[in-house]
Amino acid sequence: MDRLVKPDLKEVELVFQRGQKCYTSFKLTNLMHTMSVAVSLTTTNPSVFSINHPFSIIPPLSSLSYTLLLSDLSDKPPLSSPADVIMVRSSMLPTGKAHQDDLRRLFSKPGPHVFRDATIPVSFIGPLVAEFLIFHHTQVPEVSSFFKKAISGCSGPELTKLLTPAIASGYADFITDLIDAGGDVNFKHLDGRSLIPLAVRAGDIDVLKILIASGCRISNSLDSVLHEAAAMNRVDLMEVLFAGYSDMDMNLADSDGRTPIHVAAVQGHVKVIEFCLSIGGNPDTVDRKGWTPLHYAASEGYLEAVRCLLNCSNAKYVVNKDGKTAFSLAVDNGHSHLLDLLHLGDVLLRAARIDDIHGMKSCLAEGAMVNGRDQNGWTPLHRAAFKGRIEIVKLLLDHGALVDVVDDAGYTPLHCAVEMGHVQVALLLVARGATAKVKSLKGVAAINLNCFKNHPSHVHPLCHEKERV
């Protein structure tokens, strides 16, 4: 005979309650038709568990109920690996009667009269167990199996409630298990926000993808997930959001009127700014204070962010509600490294164009970059050579202007002077080190200083443009 008694379940489950006595019941059935059976129940962890009838007698073909009690009033479930178990031993009892001391003696000595009938694992279930595992998953071995067991004892609303801490933990397997078990991914918090902002803050790509794939709906006006991702400098999260939701709006403003580009500019996150611009973000949008993204980048002193925005923005001279331009904010906050980009470079180029030598001297004294470039790659020396401003050319060279600097079309200042017929400027440039025969970056023919013409047949593309301020 393999065994004398049979348990009514393969595993005992305890619903854990923090700081309370927890208990559950199970039954053993005597398989003998004519003889009573003595039973001994012990646990692998008697300091934590107790059983109401450690020694008992079960009549023939009868059942007896037992209660397993968690006597350790802990704030956390006493999980163990391998799991604690209840060991069931039995022995035939022909008389059908015996005192507790007799039963204790009966099982104290091993022998063929004692049968090892069953080993029943003890597991903990319920939302408090699952919550504990979410917050301590790095400290628990075999956490996935514990978690799946724990949520098997949770109701639908409990599963849904657990999604919030699970998402915050960034542990993707938990979210999958909760959704598969019946958790509602379209649960809304009291403020109306969805679960997606939580996933973005957790910063886990897999968690975000799981929620999107599971049909988690988003409210653009409430969730502001692009703003969240922009603040975190997470272009990868923004890419997933755009791939998952067709109605993503890069120019959606938050309650302060700020777009994701504003948020990125506040932090100086250049990659985010570039991504926003690549999918239609407007760099010239003003918020409720009248600030453009350029205002924020300039105010905080972020050089690369300012450069990035200037390449696509017309906001350099936009005035906010306090009457401040981006340049003014940079001055106010002592960001002298931005002044040339935001204003002085323009002033220097204009001075070169209109032959304002006093204005140029003042501008250089304020810290203007003598080799700063405009949108076409022209330096002030290009402009002065193009216009034939010889005194301006001298001043710029005396302040360190690069004589052979090349613009976006492959032209040096000497090219500009020669093609516009400014002989004295050209000779001055050569005297100051300009290469008389220079092949440009784009293969423009070499300059022949012996062949000046008042109306050259080959001129710089900008020569036909209207003069710029």
Side-chain angles (χ1 to χ4, degrees), residues 38 57 93 95-103 106:
I57 300 172
L93 193 64
T95 63
K97 296 181 180 180
H99 293 291
Q100 289 291 306
D101 291 340
D102 297 329
L103 295 176
L106 177 65

Side-chain angles (χ1 to χ4, degrees), residues 239-280:
E239 290 173 339
V240 170
L241 288 166
F242 265 87
Y245 297 104
S246 59
D247 59 344
M248 282 278 105
D249 182 3
M250 184 54 72
N251 294 308
L252 182 70
D254 63 13
S255 58
D256 295 317
R258 298 181 186 179
T259 67
I261 304 181
H262 282 96
V263 174
V266 170
Q267 304 291 334
H269 296 329
V270 177
K271 294 296 184 184
V272 174
I273 294 173
E274 291 174 343
F275 175 75
C276 293
L277 295 172
S278 72
I279 54 176

Side-chain angles (χ1 to χ4, degrees), residues 38-52:
V39 175
S40 168
L41 300 177
T42 57
T43 67
T44 51
N45 197 347
S47 63
V48 174
F49 302 101
S50 62
I51 299 175
N52 61 335

Side-chain angles (χ1 to χ4, degrees), residues 138-447:
T138 59
Q139 305 166 23
V140 180
E142 300 179 23
V143 66
S144 294
S145 60
F146 279 125
F147 189 76
K148 288 179 180 177
K149 173 55 64 176
I151 64 175
S152 68
C154 295
S155 65
E158 288 171 338
L159 292 167
T160 298
K161 187 176 180 181
L162 286 167
L163 279 170
T164 296
I167 292 169
S169 77
Y171 199 85
D173 287 347
F174 287 163
I175 289 89
T176 300
D177 290 341
L178 288 167
I179 295 171
D180 289 345
D184 182 8
V185 294
N186 285 306
F187 163 78
K188 293 291 190 296
H189 292 276
L190 292 177
D191 58 3
R193 303 187 81 186
S194 74
L195 294 173
I196 294 296
L198 289 175
V200 171
R201 283 184 222 126
D204 191 289
I205 288 287
D206 290 336
V207 170
L208 184 58
K209 287 181 177 179
I210 288 169
L211 289 176
I212 294 174
S214 299
C216 186
R217 294 187 293 273
I218 193 172
S219 171
N220 284 325
S221 60
L222 292 174
D223 290 335
S224 300
V225 288
L226 292 176
H227 295 74
E228 300 256 12
M232 296 167 61
N233 200 21
R234 293 293 301 272
V235 172
D236 55 344
L237 294 175
M238 300 177 84
E239 290 173 339
V240 170
L241 288 166
F242 265 87
Y245 297 104
S246 59
D247 59 344
M248 282 278 105
D249 182 3
M250 184 54 72
N251 294 308
L252 182 70
D254 63 13
S255 58
D256 295 317
R258 298 181 186 179
T259 67
I261 304 181
H262 282 96
V263 174
V266 170
Q267 304 291 334
H269 296 329
V270 177
K271 294 296 184 184
V272 174
I273 294 173
E274 291 174 343
F275 175 75
C276 293
L277 295 172
S278 72
I279 54 176
N282 183 0
D284 296 328
T285 302
V286 296
D287 66 8
R288 294 189 184 280
K289 297 193 302 181
W291 288 44
T292 66
L294 184 62
H295 281 91
Y296 284 103
S299 178
E300 297 296 330
Y302 295 122
L303 176 61
E304 294 306 316
V306 167
R307 281 179 175 161
C308 177
L309 289 165
L310 285 175
N311 285 335
C312 59
S313 172
N314 298 313
K316 186 184 287 190
Y317 297 109
V318 171
V319 177
N320 67 16
K321 290 186 177 179
D322 295 323
K324 301 282 187 179
T325 62
F327 175 80
S328 303
L329 293 170
V331 171
D332 291 347
N333 293 314
H335 302 313
S336 58
H337 60 293
L338 300 180
L339 303 187
D340 187 79
L341 279 174
L342 292 171
H343 180 59
L344 296 182
D346 291 352
V347 175
L348 200 64
L349 285 165
R350 184 175 185 276
R353 183 179 69 81
I354 66 175
D355 204 18
D356 181 6
I357 195 163
H358 295 294
M360 178 163 284
K361 287 179 179 179
S362 175
C363 194
L364 290 170
E366 289 183 49
M369 295 173 59
V370 71
N371 292 304
R373 296 171 178 267
D374 67 7
Q375 67 270 28
N376 299 300
W378 271 29
T379 65
L381 188 60
H382 280 95
R383 176 63 63 186
F386 174 75
K387 297 295 292 183
R389 313 300 191 190
I390 192 163
E391 294 302 320
I392 294 288
V393 169
K394 289 179 182 178
L395 179 63
L396 290 169
L397 291 171
D398 289 343
H399 279 79
L402 297 175
V403 71
D404 277 335
V405 65
V406 180
D407 71 2
D408 293 349
Y411 281 70
T412 67
L414 184 56
H415 279 99
C416 296
V418 169
E419 290 188 346
M420 295 307 295
H422 300 308
V423 178
Q424 296 302 316
V425 171
L427 292 174
L428 173 61
L429 290 169
V430 172
R432 297 294 287 269
T435 304
K437 289 190 176 182
V438 179
K439 190 173 183 182
S440 76
L441 294 179
K442 295 189 177 180
V444 177
I447 300 172

Side-chain angles (χ1 to χ4, degrees), residues 3 6-13 25-28 83-86 88 118-123 149:
R3 56 183 176 177
K6 179 183 179 181
D8 65 337
L9 40 71
K10 293 182 178 180
E11 185 176 27
V12 172
E13 297 178 341
S25 298
F26 61 97
K27 290 182 179 181
L28 294 177
D84 289 315
V85 298
I86 301 168
V88 182
T119 300
I120 310 173
V122 179
S123 62
K149 173 55 64 176

